[in-house]
Amino acid sequence: MKDVTPEAAERHKAKMVRRKQVQDAEVAQKTIEKGLLIVNTGPGKGKSTAAFGLALRMLGHGRRVGIVQFIKGARHTGEKDALEAFGDLVEWHSMGEGFTWDTQDLARDIAAAGRAWDKACAMMADPAFGLIILDELNIALRYDYLDLDAVVAALAARRDDLHVVVTGRNAKPALIEAADLVTEMGLVKHHFAAGVKAQAGVEF
Amino acid sequence: MKDVTPEAAERHKAKMVRRKQVQDAEVAQKTIEKGLLIVNTGPGKGKSTAAFGLALRMLGHGRRVGIVQFIKGARHTGEKDALEAFGDLVEWHSMGEGFTWDTQDLARDIAAAGRAWDKACAMMADPAFGLIILDELNIALRYDYLDLDAVVAALAARRDDLHVVVTGRNAKPALIEAADLVTEMGLVKHHFAAGVKAQAGVEF
């Protein structure tokens, strides 16, 4: 731990006073309130997990949260159980039938993605929702299971006060273009590479 | 949406059967179960949010979650309110007194970080916890508020079945070295740059 001399304390205070002024000026310039289109993409862990963290934050403000899973859904997960604590504030639809290598049926995968997108559109039309999570929609777009232009147009035309989070690797450039907030989860180090298996509470 | 010819369906199925074999072989090689040291770092959004998403996942499995906030904490957040739904399964300690430019008091910031670390150590010693989130610990380490070697040694010596998540920008290389899972949240696009303010449910 650092020792703090009186001189260091004084220098720190002066620096922080200046930083506070810059910070306050920046905050003052940000006046727009709007529902955000948020994209969590990239090869790293945390894309869906951060979306569920955002759900928790919204629920803390008493806003209703809708979740549509486009790919995953066959497997039971901890977050789904946990969100049951919030009753009617959460509406969860697992529309996916598992990974493509599990279903091995392209027509079925495409049909499932279509049904999931219909559900997403119905939720976006319902003013009760403050946040809608379209989990792994990027995967359905990547494999052309859905029409990209139609999806981006519908997302861009969402209600002013609706936040939407889209997750999944390989987000399409047109979606990134339409989004307000895009985070690329980068893989720096992963425990799977060290032989650690998927564990309850971490992966599901 | 893609049209699926019988030939395309057959090719897809053959490809997915092969992929399933590869996938199953990979999963079979991963046999280790262990508590992970997880680091969420980088300039993008989602570091703390993903940690709270992981908390939700753990809670769904009935595991106890502890949270220590090293920097933030002065401001009320949605996720803190939401986690109250889980009662005694969550123990939350906001030990930070706000951003450095708000406190403007180096000695006070250092003392607060020390108290937060003591709390973290007490939690790590308590076998009741399955997951401990050390929110913004990276910031306290970056500014040398805490002794890096001592912190990394304590984290590395954690119980076998304890998962710990450390968040905050600029994770120290020694911490990354000790970690099992490191994700760098990259900033592709941020709504603050477009004049959008911090909003309930998104930023707090």
Side-chain angles (χ1 to χ4, degrees), chain A residues 1 19 57 101 145 184 186, chain B residues 1 19 79 145 184 186 202:
Chain A
M1 249 183 284
R19 180 146 177 208
R57 190 168 285 162
W101 55 85
Y145 292 172
E184 166 97 6
Chain B
M1 247 183 284
R19 179 144 179 212
E79 57 270 33
Y145 292 173
E184 165 97 6
V202 180

Side-chain angles (χ1 to χ4, degrees), chain B residues 75-87:
Chain B
R75 187 169 190 178
H76 207 79
T77 58
E79 57 270 33
K80 189 171 179 185
D81 283 347
L83 287 173
E84 286 180 3
F86 300 93

Side-chain angles (χ1 to χ4, degrees), chain B residues 148-198:
Chain B
L148 177 65
D149 292 344
V151 167
V152 170
L155 291 174
R158 73 193 180 283
R159 283 182 282 119
D160 279 350
D161 61 343
L162 174 65
H163 303 284
V164 176
V165 186
V166 176
T167 78
R169 293 180 182 219
N170 300 297
K172 293 278 190 181
L175 179 64
I176 289 176
E177 179 62 34
D180 300 291
L181 168 61
V182 181
T183 306
E184 165 97 6
M185 273 66 175
L187 181 66
V188 179
K189 190 192 258 192
H190 202 294
H191 51 289
F192 284 175
V196 180
K197 65 193 284 194

